[in-house]
């Protein structure tokens, strides 16, 4: 897979797939411009090397129709401020006006195309649409790691219609950091998994069973495993249709000598709405009218000890309902333990990244992935459609 550094972009017209899928408030204003800022290294490099750049992104899920609230026009304005130079905006993704704007670019100038998902042909990975996106384009650069698990026209098909293609600086950094976690991780390698659902994470767990020494499980996910073992977990969140899978994962972990640690104690609450804890339980059965909402103090200590002895850590999924302050302690303490471990630490997942920044330890984590779904799929399958389009080999 080529990198932007290997591509002869000087004086060329470069299509850059970026991830400007920013959160908006009710008035359509940008609530957080982190993703726009994240594109700056690649864009600055293109400007420095006198390339002409055409930016393309999706925003939300307009489902193939023009949804004015999901226009990227406001993003072009914010990007111009951040980049310190004017980036034009094209109301068309493809068409005569877009072509004219692209042709009028001079070296170092750029234009942002309208939301690519205003066309149904984007998500159906339509070849004809991809060819039109590539009109007037010499080189394709993908810098949208968070979209690489999607076989969409601006992610995969478009690469077939340009002279050369490669990874932008952000994408390259993501791939390098995440592949360190499955290519030859320093041992001991610890995976910490939490969050709401086991079902989202089954392929990741299966991959980790081949790679990790210790797997620490928290969050609601733990209670599907406990129930699979025959424990009575009260009102805790359980995926009843995944009990069989959970049982098989537990068996495989034992066979492969992977230490699979579940919580030793549980912070309980009557419901998520009543944001107060009603105490901690150390043993099953859990009371029938209570749910587990966070890991307890003994689990924090046990997990922290494993974390402190690790050389590589991958973390996905909060260990409790961290959005509620009364149930956030476990997640925050584990974030601190990871940050203090000195290990190569990688955090993937939208909520997990939010938890790390809530704990205030973001600057002591080696890599926080910008792509939730993409980081999990990459870790599970060690490849992604968007990377294969750039020539990535497993
Ligand atoms: P990520 O976005 O990092 O991949 P997930 O989306 O898988 O993480 O999981 C995050 C969600 O899991 C949060 O909304 C959190 O409240 C929820 N969660 C964590 N622990 C529990 C629990 N014990 N009971 C219910 N929900 C939980
Ligand atoms: Mg999430």
């Amino acid at each position: 897979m080529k990198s932007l550094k290997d591509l002869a972009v000087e004086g060329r017209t470069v299509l850059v797939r970026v991830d400007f899928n920013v959160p908006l408030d009710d008035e359509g204003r940008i609530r957080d411009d982190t993703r726009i800022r994240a594109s700056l290294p690649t864009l600055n490099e293109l400007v420095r090397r006198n390339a002409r750049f055409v930016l393309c992104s999706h925003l939300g899920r307009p489902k193939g129709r023009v949804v004015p609230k999901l226009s990227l026009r406001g993003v072009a304005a914010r990007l111009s401020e951040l980049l310190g130079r004017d980036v034009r905006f094209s109301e068309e993704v493809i068409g005569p006006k877009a072509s004219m704007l692209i042709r009028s670019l001079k070296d170092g100038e750029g234009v942002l195309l309208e939301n690519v998902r205003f066309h149904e042909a984007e998500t159906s990975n339509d070849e004809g649409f991809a060819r039109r996106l590539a009109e007037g384009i010499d080189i394709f650069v993908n810098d949208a790691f968070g979209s690489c698990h999607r076989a969409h026209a601006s992610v995969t098909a478009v690469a077939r219609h340009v002279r050369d293609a490669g990874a932008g600086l952000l994408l390259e950094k993501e791939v390098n950091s995440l592949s360190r976690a499955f290519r030859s991780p320093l041992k001991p390698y610890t995976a910490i998994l939490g969050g709401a659902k086991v079902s989202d994470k089954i392929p990741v767990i299966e991959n980790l069973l081949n790679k990790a020494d210790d797997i620490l499980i928290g969050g609601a996910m733990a209670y599907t495993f406990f129930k699979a073992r025959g424990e009575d977990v009260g009102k805790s969140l359980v995926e009843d249709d995944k009990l069989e899978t959970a049982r098989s994962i537990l068996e495989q972990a034992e066979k492969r000598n992977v230490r699979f640690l579940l919580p030793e104690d549980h912070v309980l609450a009557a419901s998520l709405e009543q944001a107060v804890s009603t105490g901690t339980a150390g043993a099953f059965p859990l009371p029938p009218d209570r749910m587990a909402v966070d890991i307890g103090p003994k689990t924090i200590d046990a997990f922290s000890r494993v974390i402190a002895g690790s050389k590589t850590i991958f973390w996905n999924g909060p260990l409790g309902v961290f959005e509620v302050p009364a149930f956030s302690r476990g997640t925050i303490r584990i974030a601190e333990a990871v940050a203090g471990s000195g290990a190569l630490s990688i955090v993937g997942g939208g909520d997990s990244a939010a938890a790390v920044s809530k704990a205030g330890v973001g600057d002591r984590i080696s890599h926080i992935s910008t792509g939730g779904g993409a980081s999990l799929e990459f870790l599970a399958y060690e490849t992604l459609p968007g990377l294969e389009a750039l020539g990535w080999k497993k």
Side-chain angles (χ1 to χ4, degrees), residues 190 192 216 295 297-315 319 328-347 355-356 359-362 364-366:
T190 300
I192 310 165
L216 315 179
I295 55 173
K298 279 193 194 143
T299 310
I300 293 176
D301 286 346
F303 283 12
S304 298
R305 271 197 298 277
V306 176
I307 290 166
S310 306
K311 289 276 184 347
T312 305
I313 299 170
F314 173 71
W315 179 15
L319 300 160
S328 66
R329 186 157 186 264
T331 302
I332 305 251
R333 295 283 304 275
I334 294 306
E336 288 164 357
V338 172
S341 67
L344 173 84
S345 53
I346 296 161
V347 175
V356 162
V361 299
R364 286 189 289 148
I365 301 293
S366 316

Side-chain angles (χ1 to χ4, degrees), residues 15 17 56 116 122 125 129 133 140 142 152-158:
L15 178 69
R17 178 55 160 98
C56 162
V116 69
E122 160 68 0
N125 203 15
F129 178 71
L133 255 183
F140 173 60
N142 188 345
H152 290 174
S154 68
V155 180
T156 60
V158 71

